Amino acid sequence: MTGAAAPEPPVIDAHAHVFTRAMPFTDTAWTRPDYDYPVEAYLAELDAHGVAFGVITAASLFGDYNDYSLAALAQHPRLRATVMLDPDTGPADLADLRRQGVRGVRFQLRPDAPLPDLQGYRFRRFVTRLADAGLHLELNLAGPQLAGILPALAEHRVDIVIDHFGLLRSERDMEGEGFQAVLRSIDTGRVRVKISAGFRLPAERLASYAGKLLEVAGPERLFWGSDAPFVGAEERMRFTDALETFYRIVPDAATRRRISDAALRFYFF
């Protein structure tokens, strides 16, 4: 980019985490950051890079401890969030979360964990309640898990957002069952995919991943997210790096703007 005008930054970062060391880790947390990344630090990062809006994504490290994210929403109208919830959460609580600025519920499992009973009453009730409350289901799952859950969700009214290109912890790259299931699911009209956390995937393949998703989904069903503060990769990643990756793998400025506009409509309007 030397000698060229700086690219216009995205309007919204649709995937980041905020936390402090005072927050409780789950017993099975895959890592335990020994630093704070408070909401104020995240907002300063957005301001420094010209990004107007952000989405706090629930982190599996903290389970259903959503208190810090909810407090951040109460203080900062430029933010929205997803949370992690018990599937037995009732409709009144879901409606209240929506009013607070929550837009979805993140569903994440260990890569080797079995899916819940997708045809069972408890799961179907939960997904139906999410749709009733205007909340989406955010999936951060391995390839076989995506291949199992996406067809079952096709019969539901709930909107779905798939994290990290649909490729994290997947085998056989774009030919794997998980990514192929993601591509097929886009035809339902209720599925979006985040091109986020590219630093966790093969750098030389990212442009191919983004190109395929743009071909099948179009920019109106893709969201960009930084995955700040890059847990596990803090020493090699900066917010600037995440932006430059976005500019590289989606080189057309008009397409990037359509991706931003789609996320802004989805989370804020």
Side-chain angles (χ1 to χ4, degrees), residues 80-103:
R80 294 293 185 265
T82 62
V83 295
M84 300 188 87
L85 292 179
D86 188 294
D88 293 326
T89 302
D93 289 333
L94 294 175
D96 185 54
L97 289 168
R98 170 79 189 185
R99 284 190 292 270
Q100 292 180 70
V102 171
R103 290 297 177 262

Side-chain angles (χ1 to χ4, degrees), residues 37 52 125 166 171:
Y37 189 67
R125 180 188 61 182
E171 297 179 354

Side-chain angles (χ1 to χ4, degrees), residues 80-154:
R80 294 293 185 265
T82 62
V83 295
M84 300 188 87
L85 292 179
D86 188 294
D88 293 326
T89 302
D93 289 333
L94 294 175
D96 185 54
L97 289 168
R98 170 79 189 185
R99 284 190 292 270
Q100 292 180 70
V102 171
R103 290 297 177 262
V105 173
R106 200 175 197 216
F107 182 64
Q108 181 169 336
L109 299 170
R110 298 188 320 273
D112 59 347
L115 291 170
D117 180 1
L118 302 179
Q119 298 304 321
Y121 174 72
R122 189 173 185 240
F123 181 81
R124 294 174 64 85
R125 180 188 61 182
F126 185 51
V127 173
T128 301
R129 282 177 170 171
L130 292 182
D132 291 344
L135 299 174
H136 69 268
L137 189 64
E138 181 180 28
L139 302 179
N140 186 26
L141 298 172
Q145 293 164 336
L146 286 171
I149 199 171
L150 286 171
L153 289 170

Side-chain angles (χ1 to χ4, degrees), residues 255-267:
T255 301
R256 293 196 302 267
R257 183 54 191 252
R258 289 167 68 187
I259 290 171
S260 278
D261 289 347
L264 196 62
R265 287 192 300 269
F266 186 81
Y267 287 102

Side-chain angles (χ1 to χ4, degrees), residues 36-48:
D36 298 325
Y37 189 67
V39 66
E40 293 81 9
Y42 175 54
L43 293 175
E45 196 85 88
L46 295 184
D47 289 341

Side-chain angles (χ1 to χ4, degrees), residues 64 93 153 163 205 214 226 232 236 252:
D64 61 3
D93 289 333
L153 289 170
D163 282 343
R205 298 286 290 147
L214 280 167
S226 68
R236 61 183 176 89
D252 181 66

